Amino acid sequence: SQTIHQWPATLVQPVGSPLSLECTVEGTSNPNLYWYRQAAGRGLQLLFYSVGIGQISSEVPQNLSASRPQDRQFILSSKKLLLSDSGFYLCAWSEVYGNQPQHFGDGTRLSIL
Amino acid sequence: DAKTTQPNSMESNEEEPVHLPCNHSTISGTDYIHWYRQLPSQGPEYVIHGLTSNVNNRMASLAIAEDRKSSTLILHRATLRDAAVYYCIPIITQGGSEKLVFGKGTKLTVNP
């Protein structure tokens, strides 16, 4: 069966520090991968998605970037965190075929001080 | 993008059926309707999806109106573990991938 791993579960970082969140999927090949963010009291917002290695689409301009160095690995990064980057970050995957459900990880709760 | 309208909140009693409505009057003819739910401090969980016909799975049933302008998620016997925010999402296919655009959803409270 397929599983998705996301870490760390919680993270406290100072303003201006770098960020690297990692997500890996097991049990499937060539999945579509997604990064979402949920700010406190708000809905989920799609940040990036990827349909293959090295292929990244950005949904909103922001202080973050994403990379997909391997088929089942998706990384969310920032060079210098802002206070507004605080939130609940979720990675998800889906099969490449159309209209497949997305399966979410347990998320990373990021607090910027 | 198709817009959805859901009640902000609903309340149910344990063991009773729950009907969660969603209006999506601007949906296109090929957009599937997906439903997800999110428990507190967890990632969303897929519930069910459909296009035109009613759909059933182990978690719920999905009734889609004939004109596809609305749908209803049916939980046949609510349990305390069903308390969550439920999202109705028309799928947008773009760039070879499906995009989920989450609205505010319906917060379901289940009373014991």
Side-chain angles (χ1 to χ4, degrees):
Chain A
S1 63
Q2 302 89 357
T3 56
I4 180 169
H5 301 281
Q6 212 183 317
W7 66 92
T10 59
L11 188 60
V12 180
Q13 292 285 99
V15 170
S17 64
L19 173 73
S20 180
L21 301 181
E22 188 165 342
C23 171
T24 60
V25 180
E26 296 177 357
T28 187
S29 297
N30 195 31
N32 290 334
L33 296 172
Y34 310 83
W35 277 111
Y36 291 84
R37 176 172 62 198
Q38 186 170 33
R42 304 183 69 177
L44 280 82
Q45 181 184 37
L46 178 63
L47 301 177
F48 301 95
Y49 67 92
S50 171
V51 299
I53 296 175
Q55 300 178 61
I56 309 295
S57 297
S58 174
E59 284 296 297
V60 293
Q62 60 210 313
N63 186 42
L64 302 168
S65 62
S67 62
R68 185 170 177 174
Q70 300 181 43
D71 181 42
R72 292 167 291 170
Q73 183 184 30
F74 206 21
I75 298 172
L76 184 70
S77 304
S78 174
K79 293 182 179 178
K80 293 180 71 173
L81 286 167
L82 306 172
L83 283 174
S84 57
D85 292 324
S86 292
F88 190 40
Y89 288 82
L90 290 150
C91 180
W93 74 273
S94 69
E95 297 286 1
V96 69
Y97 309 108
N99 290 298
Q100 295 300 308
Q102 291 187 18
H103 306 279
F104 288 78
D106 292 330
T108 295
R109 193 161 300 280
L110 175 64
S111 299
I112 310 299
L113 302 179
Chain B
D1 295 355
K3 304 296 183 186
T4 60
T5 304
Q6 295 179 256
N8 289 332
S9 62
M10 290 185 66
E11 206 166 319
S12 173
N13 295 321
E14 206 174 4
E15 302 288 311
E16 291 183 355
V18 182
H19 291 233
L20 298 163
C22 179
N23 288 326
H24 32 77
S25 58
T26 60
I27 194 172
S28 75
T30 57
D31 289 345
Y32 277 71
I33 298 295
H34 284 227
W35 283 80
Y36 288 76
R37 70 182 185 181
Q38 186 176 20
L39 279 67
S41 300
Q42 294 187 26
E45 175 187 24
Y46 165 78
V47 178
I48 200 167
H49 76 281
L51 182 62
T52 56
S53 304
N54 294 344
V55 184
N56 299 292
N57 66 20
R58 63 176 180 82
M59 291 181 69
S61 295
L62 178 61
I64 301 174
E66 195 170 333
D67 62 8
R68 294 195 358 104
K69 293 182 184 295
S70 65
S71 61
T72 301
L73 179 71
I74 302 165
L75 306 179
H76 295 284
R77 292 180 64 189
T79 69
L80 296 178
R81 290 176 295 177
D82 291 323
V85 179
Y86 286 78
Y87 299 97
C88 160
I89 305 174
I91 289 295
I92 301 168
T93 301
Q94 178 175 316
S97 179
E98 274 78 39
K99 296 170 51 178
L100 298 181
V101 180
F102 285 82
K104 295 183 178 180
T106 296
K107 183 176 182 179
L108 175 66
T109 300
V110 180
N111 300 314

